Amino acid sequence: MKATAKAHTNIALIKYWGKRNESIILPTNSSLSLTLDGFYTTTTVDFSEEYTKDQFTLNERPIEGEQLRRVTGFLDLIRQHAGKSLHAAVHSVNEVPTAAGFASSASGFAALAAAGSKAIGLDLPERELSALTRQGSGSACRSIYGGFAEWEMGTKEDGSDSYAVPIAPAEHWDLRVAAVVLSSKMKKVSSRTGMKRTVETSPFYQGWLDSIPAEMNQIKEGIKELDFEKVGEVAEANCLKMHATTLGANPPFTYWHDTTMTVMETVREMREKGIPAYFTIDAGPNVKVLYLPENEEVIKNTLRTIPGVADIRLSRPGQGVTYL
Ligand code: 2P0
């Protein structure tokens, strides 16, 4: 009982930042993302009576410890769903350079959920597959779809109404993303730890939550109308609000570096010169720059010259989960 699936990572334009249930991963706010073609994971899951325990290889290296436990825990959900108790061999290959600051957990859990559920004989509708994927890693539930996807937070305690839905396919709009990779590293507060601390201690957290519904409406209008300024302005403002919550946390923290701020300033300067570009930043120091295809050269060349920038990785809108 074997299946292989490929899933791409995504970049959130309206961020997921906080959980209301940590064990089945239910968020405190809805989020919206663009799936990216440049970064993906391909995973094969093989359920068999021959295996006496689960095995997991990542880029052909056997994985033990916490990473294996997360995969095994997720396979348990799939087994429960299917009413089967077979063990599995999982082989994943990641084309998500960790240095680029994209979480490989999004493409990783989307590919694992798709391959695992297919291998065990489940034929899940996309929403159910998304809700299952969510329980591996929140942001992964959006990677089931190509293009733009919204994770509707839902209100039910059991999470059955918390899944992603498609907003517009990759073909709708050739909106591009430049991942600006910084050369220096900083001790990282994981996104799990960071969002938990912020929810529990930041007095700014309620302000964050209050701002989401209007921003969500605006960005969906902007996507529908192909209005780059509207989408960029909302995405940038939403990112800044998310990061502002971390400064109010106890103990306070920030994901930003000096170079992070220099890149943000360079993006603002490009806009002043008439080159449309906007930034967004996840739970790390790297900046993602949103731009349109006609400005690719100038964006790339400008970002490259910033001291402290190691690399620029360009990406287009990507497809949802596919089975190989
Ligand atoms: C996002 N991030 O919407 C936000 C923006 C980081 C900042 O989703 O605990 O790895 O596995 O549900 O999805 C990163 O958190 O967290 C994240 P879990 P996840 O993309």
Side-chain angles (χ1 to χ4, degrees), residues 10-12 14-17 19 25 31 70 103 105 134 136-140 142 151 191-192 195 242 281-283:
N10 67 74
I11 177 76
I14 301 287
K15 308 290 186 192
Y16 149 50
W17 193 241
K19 296 182 179 72
I25 308 192
S31 55
R70 248 181 111 176
S105 66
R134 184 202 81 226
S137 183
S139 53
R142 301 182 305 234
W151 175 9
S191 51
R192 268 194 189 183
M195 67 172 84
M242 178 202 124
I281 306 163
D282 281 337

Side-chain angles (χ1 to χ4, degrees), residues 2-74:
K2 192 169 170 176
T4 300
K6 176 178 171 185
H8 294 83
T9 190
N10 67 74
I11 177 76
L13 304 179
I14 301 287
K15 308 290 186 192
Y16 149 50
W17 193 241
K19 296 182 179 72
R20 66 179 199 276
N21 179 322
E22 284 170 23
S23 62
I24 59 170
I25 308 192
L26 296 177
T28 44
N29 67 273
S30 294
S31 55
L32 184 144
S33 62
L34 175 61
T35 299
L36 300 177
D37 77 336
F39 312 107
Y40 56 90
T41 302
T42 308
T43 295
T44 300
V45 179
D46 179 22
F47 284 102
S48 165
E49 283 173 3
E50 283 174 27
Y51 305 127
T52 54
K53 59 182 176 74
D54 295 325
Q55 307 155 41
F56 174 40
T57 67
L58 182 58
N59 299 336
E60 295 177 5
R61 285 188 19 235
I63 303 291
E64 302 282 341
E66 180 51 30
Q67 263 184 304
L68 174 65
R69 271 194 293 281
R70 248 181 111 176
V71 168
T72 299
F74 192 75

Side-chain angles (χ1 to χ4, degrees), residues 208-226:
W208 157 257
L209 290 181
D210 292 344
S211 69
I212 300 288
E215 288 185 337
M216 185 62 88
N217 284 337
Q218 283 165 15
I219 206 159
K220 285 203 275 193
E221 274 173 24
I223 292 166
K224 197 169 159 201
E225 296 159 0
L226 309 180

Side-chain angles (χ1 to χ4, degrees), residues 54-166:
D54 295 325
Q55 307 155 41
F56 174 40
T57 67
L58 182 58
N59 299 336
E60 295 177 5
R61 285 188 19 235
I63 303 291
E64 302 282 341
E66 180 51 30
Q67 263 184 304
L68 174 65
R69 271 194 293 281
R70 248 181 111 176
V71 168
T72 299
F74 192 75
L75 292 171
D76 288 341
L77 290 177
I78 295 177
R79 286 185 277 254
Q80 242 172 44
H81 219 94
K84 292 191 175 132
S85 59
L86 298 169
H87 290 287
V90 177
H91 299 291
S92 281
V93 177
N94 247 347
E95 299 291 340
V96 187
T98 42
F102 287 106
S104 56
S105 66
S107 54
F109 277 99
L112 177 62
S117 56
K118 183 159 191 234
I120 212 163
L122 292 168
D123 184 17
L124 300 176
E126 280 181 329
R127 284 181 182 195
E128 277 185 46
L129 179 60
S130 175
L132 171 70
T133 306
R134 184 202 81 226
Q135 296 173 71
S137 183
S139 53
C141 80
R142 301 182 305 234
S143 276
I144 300 303
Y145 307 97
F148 298 87
E150 178 184 0
W151 175 9
E152 297 177 344
M153 62 177 286
T155 54
K156 294 185 182 165
E157 295 278 308
D158 69 357
S160 58
D161 61 349
S162 186
Y163 44 68
V165 296

